[in-house]
Amino acid sequence: MAPQLDAYFSKVDELQDHFIERLRKAVAIPSVSSEDDRRPEVVRMGKFLESELKALGAHVEARPLGPQPHKEYLELPPVIIARYGEDPKKKTILVYGHYDVQPAAKEDGWATEPFELTIDDKGRMFGRGSTDDKGPVLGWLNAIEAHQKANIDFPVNLLMCFEGMEEYGSEGLDDFINAEAKKFFKDTDAVCISDNYWLGTEKPCLTYGLRGCSYYSIEISGPGQDLHSGVFGGTAQEPMTDLVRVMGSLVDTNGKIQIDGIKELVAPVTEEEKKLYEGIAFTMDNLHESLGSQTTIFEDKESTLMARWRFPSLSLHGIEGAFSAPGAKTVIPAKVIGKFSIRTVPNMEIPEVNRLVEAHVNKVFKTLNSKNTCKVVEQHSGKWWVASPKHWNFTAAAKAVESVFKVQPDLTREGGSIPVTLTFEQATGKNVLLLPMGSSTDAAHSINEKLDKRNYIEGIKLLGSYLQHVAIENVNES
Amino acid sequence: MAPQLDAYFSKVDELQDHFIERLRKAVAIPSVSSEDDRRPEVVRMGKFLESELKALGAHVEARPLGPQPHKEYLELPPVIIARYGEDPKKKTILVYGHYDVQPAAKEDGWATEPFELTIDDKGRMFGRGSTDDKGPVLGWLNAIEAHQKANIDFPVNLLMCFEGMEEYGSEGLDDFINAEAKKFFKDTDAVCISDNYWLGTEKPCLTYGLRGCSYYSIEISGPGQDLHSGVFGGTAQEPMTDLVRVMGSLVDTNGKIQIDGIKELVAPVTEEEKKLYEGIAFTMDNLHESLGSQTTIFEDKESTLMARWRFPSLSLHGIEGAFSAPGAKTVIPAKVIGKFSIRTVPNMEIPEVNRLVEAHVNKVFKTLNSKNTCKVVEQHSGKWWVASPKHWNFTAAAKAVESVFKVQPDLTREGGSIPVTLTFEQATGKNVLLLPMGSSTDAAHSINEKLDKRNYIEGIKLLGSYLQHVAIENVNES
């Protein structure tokens, strides 16, 4: 079976208004997973997907996840799983997306109504969830429909897993994926996730790595209750004094982690790897623009991308228990909790990182000779993920990019984490590919979220082309 | 005219239930000055004082202060000023107190309803405002009434100044006092303020000094907006990293201020002064109890009291703009504002302290070699105050303490500030005495605020006895 791209691409172009209408309907459902009173809207969005998939002839199941942890009065929205095609001669691709969205309100500063898809004269389609992640999710449905209407045999068996709690920690999803790995997902040959973004605005990318994240808190306490600094200042050892000194020992202005032993855990960078970074479409101007300032650590692209993807970083997030409001309050906080996290990379193992963090904090605190109590706690950890970009799953995607955009995609990592990636890899044992649809300027999670019409329509072509290329890739080549 | 203490004391004892009822009525008015919707209650409390004072035959005026700064829709509660007696042969004493209170709600953890005076079997009278400052304010009214009912000539002309915004920064009061210094308050011979507390629970004190307070913020900013630590961690210089390092350079665990030049501004301690501290009724156990822990800087009473009253201290209060909620958030804050204050003592002049603080922060920030921007701002400053405890105003008060409690009062300072003290001293040019009624365990500003019945009733005797002793003190002796 040879790829039938031209007919497919023409059909996508022909159906573009219809596909935009489908996105408009989806954006109009305010499926905000973090807001209790909008839970029915999340459920409604799941039902919308269910009915669209059924209309396309897919087998669909809405799987309940039970009550929400810590909010037992709320039912979690169901995971919508679906199968399209059951031909044992075809490869089976499992795709993941989410149908819930971040909160949004006009008052936050949106230029348009966040839950009304609004297209401007530059083809920017504004609306909450347009790029994160309703556009990409509908991309799969649209790819099915375009194949049907072009009378092209669908190239693979498609398994779909669409969740409704991604923006609230994917509650219940890991257990579900693990439970279904050998059941609903058992035929999976490879996994594709479209829930991240191009590095810039022009060149598509395939993403093969994510940093992990280990989050810590340092709790320092002493007095029995908050104190008046007039009465106690100068006579009591103050937890805040100790905390800022301990936090100040973790990392320097140039991002260099000061914890002994961390550097030694990082896999050495190979010469081959270094070369990968030179060709990537990214400039310091891109960084300055997204940063909104020139306050970067490095002056060159390669060091910057490596610092983002390839090396660990440590960020101080804040302090709980201290005075944090505007204005002036002369309190001596009795118990303060400093929060920081380390973005981890190969080959940093979580228990080893924990051990080094704990040893460092305890060592520094000891030098203070304080009578206060110091406790360091790992709040949560997610492991880094790196896939092989030489796998046929990536090769098919690279060819698909070339077929649609006439360029070779950048091979990128992400500095952030998408925990479900590692879950799918571990549960299925198969290669996972991140294949983004949106661009770096889409403002996911921010006001004025948008998806460019070009990214949506060409993205639908990309997803279909990817499946067609998957179908003809020789699985033994990698 | 000789003091007529016995008859006065008997009458106070006889009227004690009546005086407690007066306090009960006052506590029942939730005159919380910081809550907009309770402003009418503050006004109602002012009217209550006005009508009680009129009933006692005082000349009373409720003076408007205009709209509240930054909340122009709210009228400030009036200052209630009053005069009782106009005999040019008598001394004129100006007393100050406040009729507003801190917020309070049962849900905060109160054992009783905060706005219902509740007396337990140990004679503890629980209720918001009982000790701070409704008990002391009513103390002056009760002293007038007991003199009237005992048919004793009132020993002085009493000027009263009761404000309704003390717990919200005494908005508008300084200007008012300065404007009235040569008008309503022009006859003042000395000032007495009852709005602080005994050092312990058994021994009364006269307070002759307060530390000043200079409040600073250090604002460090860089990125145009908050950043995702996955995407930007390792590539951007983070304001929090710089801020904790700058804050960590200000003071050490043992409270030693690390700012060059501060130490040199402090007046040397004399041998005579040192001796004053030895006799004061205070133990390290008192400190451990109020601190709720053993995490003190010093192990002895003298060093501790000197550190509280006589030496400057620096406390770190918190950080605005960073993540401060419970839980975990992986944000890189774009702009963070560290807050700290220095408690100042003689002879630290505010402009000089500001100059040293600014120089230190800028010096330390420079060593970081950061591209971020650092700005240190003096948020507000109040000067220290020290009066002469040898003035007849203090001598009269000391004799009054002996007449009621049969002990010599401790001569104390306070580590905190009561800015109105300095305002009265500067506006009237007269000696100001702080004569507390409540004890160290009264929990002003906290849950379960109380005033012991003994402190209230003996306190009324104390205020009356003080006025009687004032009347016969020879003003030329000091």
Side-chain angles (χ1 to χ4, degrees):
Chain A
M1 187 184 74
Q4 294 178 277
L5 292 172
D6 290 348
Y8 172 69
F9 289 172
S10 302
K11 189 55 73 177
V12 172
D13 283 332
E14 192 186 314
L15 292 171
Q16 58 178 292
D17 289 346
H18 170 61
F19 294 154
I20 289 169
E21 276 315 298
R22 182 173 273 147
L23 182 58
R24 188 186 307 279
K25 283 181 198 161
V27 166
I29 304 172
S31 52
V32 180
S33 50
S34 63
E35 295 173 3
D36 290 13
D37 56 355
R38 275 178 154 162
R39 184 57 49 87
E41 299 293 338
V42 185
V43 172
R44 187 156 73 92
M45 180 65 206
K47 284 196 194 306
F48 170 78
L49 278 183
E50 199 179 337
S51 87
E52 295 287 298
L53 281 162
K54 280 185 177 158
L56 292 169
H59 165 81
V60 193
E61 299 178 24
R63 291 289 192 84
L65 291 177
Q68 182 166 332
H70 311 297
K71 292 189 175 185
E72 308 292 326
Y73 54 93
L74 270 185
E75 277 295 303
L76 287 166
V79 182
I80 306 296
I81 55 175
R83 166 182 275 277
Y84 184 72
E86 298 208 58
D87 185 341
K89 295 191 297 295
K90 292 179 183 171
K91 292 202 187 76
T92 298
I93 299 297
L94 168 58
V95 302
Y96 160 89
H98 63 91
Y99 63 83
D100 62 321
V101 297
Q102 284 276 325
K106 188 81 160 56
E107 308 84 77
D108 297 340
W110 282 72
T112 61
E113 284 295 333
F115 297 107
E116 282 176 22
L117 194 74
T118 309
I119 309 175
D120 74 3
D121 53 9
K122 291 177 180 157
R124 295 181 297 190
M125 305 190 293
F126 293 94
R128 175 57 90 218
S130 54
T131 195
D132 181 20
D133 185 39
K134 290 178 175 177
V137 164
L138 297 183
W140 298 111
L141 277 64
N142 297 337
I144 294 172
E145 186 172 3
H147 277 90
Q148 289 175 346
K149 294 200 167 152
N151 283 314
I152 309 166
D153 182 47
F154 202 69
V156 301
N157 303 313
L158 196 64
L159 292 175
M160 287 160 272
C161 176
F162 300 134
E163 69 155 323
M165 284 300 281
E166 199 271 346
E167 304 294 4
Y168 201 79
S170 292
E171 302 263 23
L173 189 71
D174 276 9
D175 289 347
F176 176 81
I177 293 170
N178 286 319
E180 294 300 328
K182 301 295 165 220
K183 295 189 211 163
F184 200 88
F185 303 146
K186 74 174 179 333
D187 298 331
T188 303
D189 292 307
V191 181
C192 180
I193 298 175
S194 188
D195 188 23
N196 64 319
Y197 308 92
W198 296 357
L199 191 56
T201 56
E202 290 307 313
K203 201 169 168 198
C205 62
L206 313 181
T207 304
Y208 69 98
L210 298 167
R211 291 198 289 190
C213 183
S214 288
Y215 203 103
Y216 301 94
S217 60
I218 302 170
E219 180 183 309
I220 300 185
S221 59
Q225 67 289 321
D226 286 359
L227 304 173
H228 186 293
S229 65
V231 181
F232 291 96
T235 71
Q237 294 188 336
E238 304 185 12
M240 264 299 275
T241 303
D242 293 346
L243 182 62
V244 295
R245 296 194 144 207
V246 174
M247 289 178 87
S249 76
L250 295 167
V251 63
D252 73 11
T253 294
N254 283 320
K256 203 170 158 209
I257 298 174
Q258 310 286 304
I259 301 170
D260 286 343
I262 290 284
K263 202 171 60 196
E264 288 73 13
L265 299 180
V266 178
V269 179
T270 64
E271 284 306 312
E272 187 193 356
E273 210 183 344
K274 268 188 196 156
K275 287 203 193 86
L276 265 181
Y277 286 82
E278 291 164 14
I280 289 173
F282 181 81
T283 67
M284 290 305 287
D285 283 346
N286 295 148
L287 180 61
H288 293 151
E289 195 187 342
S290 56
L291 194 57
S293 76
Q294 309 272 324
T295 54
T296 56
I297 291 174
F298 302 102
E299 304 297 332
D300 66 298
K301 173 180 88 173
E302 290 79 5
S303 303
T304 296
L305 288 178
M306 282 203 160
R308 180 188 292 189
W309 298 343
R310 186 55 178 77
F311 291 114
S313 63
L314 190 155
S315 296
L316 306 176
H317 306 301
I319 296 174
E320 177 186 345
F323 175 56
S324 62
K329 191 177 167 186
T330 55
V331 67
I332 296 173
K335 183 169 98 175
V336 283
I337 305 172
K339 314 273 179 84
F340 70 98
S341 66
I342 300 178
R343 297 285 167 173
T344 55
V345 296
N347 301 311
M348 297 167 73
E349 295 296 330
I350 293 169
E352 182 64 7
V353 174
N354 292 351
R355 200 185 58 75
L356 294 173
V357 165
E358 200 171 323
H360 173 88
V361 170
N362 290 336
K363 183 188 75 183
V364 173
F365 184 72
K366 206 171 166 199
T367 65
L368 301 181
N369 269 318
S370 174
K371 295 176 187 170
N372 292 318
T373 304
C374 175
K375 201 168 69 183
V376 54
V377 175
E378 175 205 17
Q379 298 229 75
H380 62 69
S381 283
K383 210 185 163 184
W384 44 265
W385 163 78
V386 181
S388 166
K390 295 180 179 168
H391 188 275
W392 59 259
N393 196 27
F394 280 80
T395 311
K399 289 178 183 169
V401 167
E402 287 198 66
S403 73
V404 178
F405 295 95
K406 316 299 173 201
V407 291
Q408 291 247 1
D410 278 335
L411 279 172
T412 66
R413 297 189 184 197
E414 291 259 356
S417 54
I418 308 177
V420 75
T421 311
L422 193 64
T423 307
F424 275 117
E425 182 182 277
Q426 290 175 338
T428 65
K430 303 295 177 180
N431 181 278
V432 182
L433 155 74
L434 302 185
L435 182 59
M437 176 182 274
S439 87
S440 66
T441 55
D442 283 359
H445 292 211
S446 295
I447 57 167
N448 302 324
E449 176 182 344
K450 59 90 177 164
L451 175 63
D452 290 343
K453 196 169 143 184
R454 167 181 182 249
N455 282 60
Y456 184 50
I457 301 302
E458 303 306 298
I460 296 164
K461 294 179 187 169
L462 174 66
L463 299 184
S465 176
Y466 157 69
L467 296 176
Q468 292 200 25
H469 280 96
V470 155
I472 55 170
E473 276 297 313
N474 187 337
V475 299
N476 297 323
E477 270 179 17
S478 55
Chain B
M1 187 184 74
Q4 295 176 277
L5 292 172
D6 290 348
Y8 173 67
F9 290 173
S10 301
K11 189 56 72 176
V12 171
D13 283 331
E14 192 186 313
L15 291 171
Q16 60 177 291
D17 289 347
H18 170 61
F19 294 153
I20 290 168
E21 274 316 296
R22 181 173 272 148
L23 181 59
R24 188 186 307 279
K25 283 180 198 160
V27 166
I29 304 173
S31 53
V32 180
S33 51
S34 64
E35 295 173 4
D36 290 13
D37 56 356
R38 276 180 154 160
R39 183 57 50 90
E41 298 292 338
V42 184
V43 172
R44 188 157 71 92
M45 181 64 207
K47 284 196 194 305
F48 171 76
L49 278 184
E50 200 180 336
S51 86
E52 295 286 299
L53 281 162
K54 280 185 177 159
L56 291 169
H59 165 82
V60 193
E61 298 178 26
R63 291 290 192 85
L65 291 177
Q68 182 166 332
H70 311 296
K71 291 191 175 183
E72 308 292 326
Y73 54 91
L74 269 186
E75 278 294 305
L76 288 166
V79 183
I80 306 298
I81 53 176
R83 166 183 275 277
Y84 184 72
E86 297 208 58
D87 185 341
K89 294 190 299 294
K90 291 178 183 172
K91 292 201 187 79
T92 298
I93 299 297
L94 168 58
V95 303
Y96 160 89
H98 63 91
Y99 62 84
D100 62 320
V101 297
Q102 284 276 324
K106 187 81 160 59
E107 308 83 78
D108 298 340
W110 282 72
T112 60
E113 285 296 335
F115 296 106
E116 284 176 22
L117 193 74
T118 309
I119 308 175
D120 74 1
D121 53 8
K122 289 177 181 157
R124 296 182 297 191
M125 306 191 293
F126 293 95
R128 175 57 88 220
S130 54
T131 195
D132 182 19
D133 186 36
K134 290 178 175 177
V137 163
L138 297 184
W140 298 111
L141 278 65
N142 297 337
I144 294 173
E145 186 172 4
H147 277 87
Q148 290 175 344
K149 294 200 169 154
N151 285 312
I152 308 166
D153 182 48
F154 201 68
V156 300
N157 302 314
L158 196 65
L159 291 174
M160 289 162 268
C161 176
F162 300 135
E163 68 156 324
M165 284 301 280
E166 199 270 349
E167 303 293 5
Y168 200 79
S170 293
E171 303 263 24
L173 190 71
D174 277 8
D175 289 346
F176 177 82
I177 292 170
N178 287 319
E180 294 299 328
K182 301 294 166 223
K183 295 188 210 164
F184 199 89
F185 302 147
K186 74 173 180 333
D187 298 331
T188 302
D189 293 304
V191 181
C192 180
I193 298 175
S194 188
D195 188 22
N196 66 318
Y197 307 93
W198 297 357
L199 190 57
T201 56
E202 290 307 314
K203 200 170 168 198
C205 61
L206 312 181
T207 305
Y208 68 100
L210 298 167
R211 290 199 289 189
C213 183
S214 289
Y215 203 103
Y216 300 94
S217 60
I218 303 170
E219 179 182 310
I220 299 185
S221 59
Q225 67 290 321
D226 285 359
L227 304 171
H228 187 293
S229 65
V231 180
F232 291 95
T235 71
Q237 294 187 336
E238 305 184 12
M240 262 299 274
T241 303
D242 294 345
L243 182 62
V244 295
R245 295 193 148 207
V246 174
M247 289 179 86
S249 77
L250 294 168
V251 62
D252 74 9
T253 294
N254 284 320
K256 202 170 161 209
I257 298 174
Q258 310 284 304
I259 300 170
D260 287 342
I262 291 284
K263 203 171 60 198
E264 287 74 12
L265 300 180
V266 179
V269 179
T270 63
E271 283 306 313
E272 186 193 357
E273 210 182 345
K274 266 188 198 157
K275 287 200 195 90
L276 266 182
Y277 287 82
E278 289 165 15
I280 289 173
F282 182 80
T283 67
M284 291 305 287
D285 283 346
N286 294 149
L287 180 61
H288 293 150
E289 194 188 343
S290 56
L291 194 58
S293 76
Q294 309 271 323
T295 55
T296 55
I297 290 174
F298 302 102
E299 304 296 332
D300 66 298
K301 174 180 89 174
E302 288 80 5
S303 304
T304 295
L305 289 179
M306 282 202 160
R308 180 189 292 189
W309 299 343
R310 187 55 178 79
F311 291 114
S313 63
L314 190 156
S315 295
L316 306 175
H317 306 301
I319 296 175
E320 177 186 344
F323 175 56
S324 62
K329 190 177 170 188
T330 56
V331 68
I332 296 175
K335 182 169 100 173
V336 283
I337 305 171
K339 314 273 178 85
F340 70 98
S341 66
I342 300 178
R343 297 285 167 171
T344 55
V345 296
N347 299 318
M348 298 168 73
E349 295 297 328
I350 293 170
E352 182 65 7
V353 174
N354 291 352
R355 199 185 60 74
L356 294 173
V357 165
E358 201 173 320
H360 173 89
V361 169
N362 290 338
K363 182 189 75 181
V364 172
F365 184 71
K366 206 170 168 202
T367 65
L368 301 181
N369 269 317
S370 174
K371 296 175 186 169
N372 291 318
T373 303
C374 175
K375 201 168 70 182
V376 56
V377 175
E378 174 204 18
Q379 299 228 77
H380 62 69
S381 283
K383 210 185 163 185
W384 44 264
W385 164 79
V386 181
S388 165
K390 294 181 181 168
H391 189 275
W392 57 260
N393 197 26
F394 280 79
T395 312
K399 288 179 184 168
V401 167
E402 286 196 66
S403 73
V404 177
F405 295 95
K406 315 298 171 202
V407 290
Q408 291 248 0
D410 278 336
L411 279 172
T412 66
R413 298 190 183 196
E414 290 261 353
S417 54
I418 307 176
V420 76
T421 311
L422 193 64
T423 307
F424 276 117
E425 183 182 276
Q426 291 175 339
T428 65
K430 303 295 177 180
N431 180 277
V432 182
L433 154 75
L434 302 186
L435 182 59
M437 176 183 273
S439 87
S440 67
T441 55
D442 283 358
H445 292 212
S446 296
I447 57 168
N448 302 323
E449 176 182 345
K450 58 94 177 161
L451 175 63
D452 289 342
K453 197 169 141 183
R454 168 181 180 248
N455 283 60
Y456 185 51
I457 301 302
E458 303 305 297
I460 297 164
K461 293 179 188 171
L462 174 66
L463 299 184
S465 177
Y466 156 68
L467 296 176
Q468 292 201 24
H469 280 95
V470 156
I472 54 169
E473 276 298 314
N474 186 337
V475 300
N476 296 324
E477 272 180 13
S478 55

